[in-house]
Amino acid sequence: MDAASIQGKKKTQNDNFVSKRKLGELLIESGLLTIDKLKDALQAQKNTGKRLGEALIDMKIISEEEMAFSLAMQLKIPFIDLVDYSIKDDVIDSIPEEVCQKFVCIPLSLKNNILHVAMADPLDLHIMKDLQFITGYNIQPAIATRSQIMDKLQRHYHPERTIKDVADEFVEDAGLMEFFPDEEKKIEEEEDFESFKDSPFIKMVDLIIRNAIKSGSSDVHIEAQENHVRVRNRIDGVLKDSIKLPKWTQPIIISRIKVLAGLNIAERRLPQDGRIKVKARNVSVDLRVSTLPTYYGEKAVIRILNKEEAFLSLDQLGLSQKNLTILTNFIHRPQGMVLITGPTGSGKTSTLYACMREIKSEEVNIISVEDPVEYELSGVNQVQINEKVGLSFPFVLRSILRQDPNVIMIGEIRDEETAEIAVQASMTGHLVLSTLHTNDAPAAVTRLLDIGIPPYLIASSLVGIVAQRLVRTICPDCKEEYVPSQDSLARLNMDQNDLPFKFYRGAGCPNCNNTGFIGRTAIEEIMIVGPKIRELIQSSATADTLRDAAMAMGMTTLGMSGMRKIEKGITTIEEVLKAVHEKEELTTICPHCGKTVSLDFKDCPYCKKPLIPTCSSCNRIVQPGWVACPYCGNSLKPKT
């Protein structure tokens, strides 16, 4: 070997060393890497013999995407995201499969004798030389992540194994979950899926449901997008991405879910509803399935009904001690109607089940009418509505009254006929528990009036109304004190310089998946329908009038309940403001006596001092920190 060759070889080695060194410097400059982490990775590189980038990824210091993008910047070559990148089949076939697998590369396009190839390691010059020799084309390199390249190759050459590999990567527990479809809805098409008995799609559906149950999700959304299938889980009321699947898997996964739910797999033009029972080890849950045709294909939503949630007692709902006592008194009455109100997802059903568990005994006959029956509760006679055969709420309620019930639970009052029967039952010696979709407790009376119930019947039958919301609770493992932003405090008429108590939030930790929250609790308001409220209802008073009267009698509003949860460090301002977005429901703290009062009040009803600072001369509202009134010029400085 001549001197020039030796010198060239040394130069190549030096270039490689410089490239690695520059890669580390680039990652440090971009903020993706610290000097200490770089030293650790260099030590691991010496021990394993891997490249610096591979060592960093193995140590999970940086991700594949960050590594690939940094390399692309350093080498000045394109970075390609292969997730939604379309490649023609004949272009992929221009390089043999075994070569692509060996070099971790994939052809992208071919034009004018130039083959563009995405590589996981474009620093290896031997790869480009070998590819040029094998294909006969000039090679133009690009960079992509290793996982995306391998996934693209798998989908092209072995599509039947792609979904299995994904499932194998995520499934931790051995064995599949045991599914029990609705016996009444079994269809003949199920026989066509016997061939899928050992299919990876069985495993994938099992994976999706298993992960959702483990994470405590209430709903699973399987959504068809333009180029992929997105799976999202609703955890503590918030949707989060779970898994992204190839687009071609969508119809097969939806069909598998339909078979389990006893739905018609041939019908893709209309929405369908079904039910599945799942058992896996110590977990037993019910799944409610709903499908909906969308522009890019059918979407499926699976509602997870965990039976453990149905066994919550009243004192586990998060109610204040005062309101807990009031609600307990409501449900132990021999007759009358108790309404639970709030929007969808506010925990109304859980509260109803907790009430039934509280009053359940051998001496009490409880019958519930639900659409559908969400949880199986022993000791309660549960009836499921079936509109197809005429089993509607009014029809069932008329029959129930002949079943000698003590307590009747109605899933939801939706129409005048149902409301009339519920009111009549509550006035003839039965305790009626039900729900309404209203924003607050006083609005439930207005809703019943709108449905068509006469005011005197409402006043005679109503015992009390509970309005509630669910807010996320701060994770105890990463709870920290902080000062909220002025924008958030301004909505509560507070100032950063004069905070009435300490505020807390979750910093994020592995226990809460870096969200800062874990679990949810209720904020509530309970309106007792006493003599004064009955008079107002009979006179068809407005919701505002009812609210003022209820507050005068000591009702704690949703906003007040939320403020107490904030003061105790249970939740955050943002969570309460998100749940209680009506202005009249928000509250503030009196800076003089520290009591929680409504934002509507100009003066504190407890200490008579002004809640909102005003000019002593013109009586207009002024802002904290002003030294003079901009309206009349009066001095706002405190007198000494």
Side-chain angles (χ1 to χ4, degrees):
M1 183 177 292
D2 56 12
S5 299
I6 295 174
Q7 186 68 24
K9 184 176 181 182
K10 289 182 178 180
K11 184 177 184 303
T12 301
Q13 293 174 346
N14 290 336
D15 287 344
N16 287 339
F17 174 76
V18 171
S19 297
K20 291 177 184 178
R21 183 177 60 81
K22 286 184 177 179
L23 174 61
E25 291 176 354
L26 180 64
L27 292 174
I28 291 175
E29 292 173 4
S30 62
L32 297 173
L33 192 64
T34 63
I35 296 178
D36 293 337
K37 295 291 185 182
L38 177 60
K39 291 179 180 178
D40 294 340
L42 290 172
Q43 184 61 43
Q45 180 190 10
K46 290 179 181 179
N47 297 334
T48 61
K50 295 182 178 180
R51 290 183 176 274
L52 176 60
E54 294 176 349
L56 289 169
I57 294 172
D58 290 345
M59 296 173 68
K60 297 183 179 180
I61 296 176
I62 62 175
S63 66
E64 277 190 292
E65 290 77 10
E66 292 170 337
M67 184 71 230
F69 190 73
S70 299
L71 275 176
M73 290 177 59
Q74 181 191 20
L75 302 175
K76 297 181 179 180
I77 61 175
F79 171 75
I80 306 296
D81 186 354
L82 295 177
V83 173
D84 298 327
Y85 197 92
S86 178
I87 308 174
K88 295 181 179 179
D89 291 343
D90 57 341
V91 173
I92 297 181
D93 294 334
S94 62
I95 299 179
E97 177 191 358
E98 58 273 12
V99 176
C100 291
Q101 297 279 358
K102 178 182 178 182
F103 294 151
V104 192
C105 65
I106 187 170
L108 300 174
S109 62
L110 177 61
K111 187 176 181 181
N112 299 330
N113 207 43
I114 298 176
L115 184 63
H116 295 262
V117 181
M119 307 174 182
D121 186 10
L123 292 173
D124 194 338
L125 299 177
H126 296 292
I127 293 179
M128 282 184 279
K129 290 181 180 179
D130 291 344
L131 291 177
Q132 188 170 350
F133 176 78
I134 293 171
T135 62
Y137 299 121
N138 293 323
I139 304 299
Q140 183 66 40
I143 188 167
T145 64
R146 179 186 183 90
S147 59
Q148 288 186 358
I149 292 174
M150 300 305 292
D151 179 65
K152 207 78 171 178
L153 291 173
Q154 193 78 319
R155 287 165 56 184
H156 177 72
Y157 290 107
H158 306 285
E160 73 283 354
R161 286 166 46 198
T162 305
I163 197 76
K164 181 178 184 301
D165 294 339
V166 175
D168 287 340
E169 181 181 352
F170 286 95
V171 173
E172 299 174 358
D173 299 331
L176 297 178
M177 305 180 80
E178 192 174 1
F179 295 94
F180 300 90
D182 192 336
E183 294 293 333
E184 295 181 0
K185 295 184 178 180
K186 277 192 174 180
I187 53 174
E188 296 178 359
E189 286 90 337
E190 188 171 1
E191 297 176 359
D192 298 335
F193 276 78
E194 284 299 315
S195 57
F196 283 97
K197 202 172 188 180
D198 300 320
S199 167
F201 296 98
I202 305 287
K203 205 172 198 180
M204 177 52 66
V205 173
D206 175 45
L207 157 72
I208 292 172
I209 297 174
R210 187 193 304 275
N211 283 350
I213 294 173
K214 279 185 177 180
S215 61
S217 305
S218 61
D219 300 87
V220 182
H221 292 242
I222 302 170
E223 303 168 323
Q225 304 293 304
E226 184 178 6
N227 299 305
H228 63 276
V229 177
R230 179 172 63 172
V231 180
R232 297 190 292 172
N233 294 339
R234 188 179 293 280
I235 304 174
D236 293 335
V238 180
L239 279 173
K240 296 180 181 178
D241 286 334
S242 175
I243 305 172
K244 185 184 288 185
L245 301 172
K247 173 68 176 177
W248 58 270
T249 64
Q250 183 263 339
I252 307 176
I253 289 178
I254 296 296
S255 295
R256 170 62 183 167
I257 293 173
K258 281 185 173 183
V259 168
L260 291 173
L263 304 180
N264 184 357
I265 63 173
E267 180 56 74
R268 298 183 177 90
R269 300 166 298 175
L270 297 174
Q272 297 186 67
D273 295 300
R275 195 181 187 106
I276 312 171
K277 289 185 178 181
V278 177
K279 289 184 179 179
R281 295 191 177 181
N282 297 327
V283 179
S284 179
V285 299
D286 288 340
L287 308 178
R288 272 174 30 202
V289 179
S290 174
T291 64
L292 180 72
T294 66
Y295 184 74
Y296 291 115
E298 282 188 288
K299 171 185 176 179
V301 174
I302 303 174
R303 167 66 60 90
I304 300 174
L305 304 172
N306 196 328
K307 294 182 179 180
E308 294 180 0
E309 296 180 1
F311 300 143
L312 291 176
S313 59
L314 282 177
D315 56 359
Q316 293 176 311
L317 297 176
L319 306 181
S320 67
Q321 189 59 47
K322 172 188 172 183
N323 287 334
L324 178 61
T325 303
I326 294 173
L327 181 56
T328 304
N329 291 335
F330 283 168
I331 61 177
H332 281 96
R333 292 199 179 192
Q335 68 179 49
M337 183 163 63
V338 179
L339 295 178
I340 314 293
T341 71
T344 302
S346 59
K348 298 189 298 296
T349 302
S350 296
T351 301
L352 280 179
Y353 275 81
C355 290
M356 287 193 291
R357 288 193 70 240
E358 177 72 19
I359 59 179
K360 184 180 64 173
S361 68
E362 294 180 359
E363 294 82 16
V364 178
N365 177 24
I366 304 176
I367 303 179
S368 73
V369 189
E370 305 170 62
D371 184 21
V373 174
E374 295 195 359
Y375 302 105
E376 296 177 8
L377 196 58
S378 63
V380 176
N381 303 288
Q382 296 173 276
V383 181
Q384 179 160 320
I385 295 301
N386 189 347
E387 297 282 357
K388 293 180 180 179
V389 298
L391 199 64
S392 60
F393 272 109
F395 185 85
V396 174
L397 286 173
R398 291 192 195 95
S399 302
I400 280 178
L401 294 175
R402 295 189 290 271
Q403 291 287 319
D404 186 31
N406 297 105
V407 180
I408 301 173
M409 194 279 271
I410 305 172
E412 181 184 351
I413 294 178
R414 302 176 180 176
D415 50 48
E416 182 180 0
E417 195 173 3
T418 304
E420 285 179 352
I421 299 173
V423 168
Q424 291 171 3
S426 66
M427 296 173 62
T428 55
H430 307 89
L431 178 65
V432 177
L433 308 175
S434 188
T435 67
L436 271 179
H437 284 284
T438 61
N439 287 330
D440 55 23
V445 176
T446 307
R447 173 65 177 150
L448 290 176
L449 290 171
D450 292 341
I451 289 177
I453 306 301
Y456 71 93
L457 288 180
I458 299 175
S460 302
S461 60
L462 265 183
V463 170
I465 305 169
V466 180
Q468 66 179 58
R469 302 286 191 279
L470 291 179
V471 294
R472 292 186 291 176
T473 54
I474 301 172
C475 175
D477 293 340
C478 58
K479 185 176 180 180
E480 64 177 12
E481 184 181 344
Y482 83 113
V483 177
S485 66
Q486 185 56 47
D487 291 340
S488 297
L489 291 171
R491 295 184 63 183
L492 303 177
N493 279 354
M494 293 183 186
D495 187 82
Q496 286 183 333
N497 300 321
D498 187 22
L499 296 179
F501 48 79
K502 294 180 180 180
F503 293 83
Y504 296 91
R505 67 181 176 188
C509 64
N511 188 42
C512 60
N513 292 323
N514 294 315
T515 62
F517 298 96
I518 185 166
R520 289 189 290 178
T521 189
I523 58 174
E524 76 289 339
E525 68 178 21
I526 300 183
M527 187 175 81
I528 302 173
V529 183
K532 179 63 177 177
I533 299 294
R534 294 187 194 280
E535 290 179 12
L536 292 173
I537 293 175
Q538 286 182 342
S539 62
S540 300
T542 64
D544 290 337
T545 304
L546 291 172
R547 167 177 289 277
D548 292 340
M551 290 181 65
M553 295 171 61
M555 181 183 77
T556 302
T557 65
L558 287 168
M560 292 179 181
S561 177
M563 286 296 296
R564 290 177 181 175
K565 290 286 197 301
I566 296 172
E567 186 176 0
K568 292 179 179 179
I570 297 174
T571 189
T572 64
I573 289 181
E574 290 74 19
E575 280 296 300
V576 173
L577 290 175
K578 185 168 62 175
V580 187
H581 46 267
E582 296 293 330
K583 181 182 177 183
E584 60 268 16
E585 294 176 356
L586 298 179
T587 59
T588 186
I589 300 293
C590 175
H592 308 288
C593 66
K595 297 278 182 105
T596 306
V597 295
S598 172
L599 276 181
D600 288 341
F601 297 163
K602 187 177 179 181
D603 296 329
C604 177
Y606 301 102
C607 66
K608 298 183 180 181
K609 293 185 178 180
L611 294 171
I612 303 174
T614 57
C615 174
S616 59
S617 176
C618 64
N619 206 31
R620 293 194 180 185
I621 297 174
V622 296
Q623 298 296 326
W626 287 2
V627 295
C629 176
Y631 307 106
C632 67
N634 180 47
S635 175
L636 300 176
K637 291 183 178 180
K639 296 180 181 181
T640 57

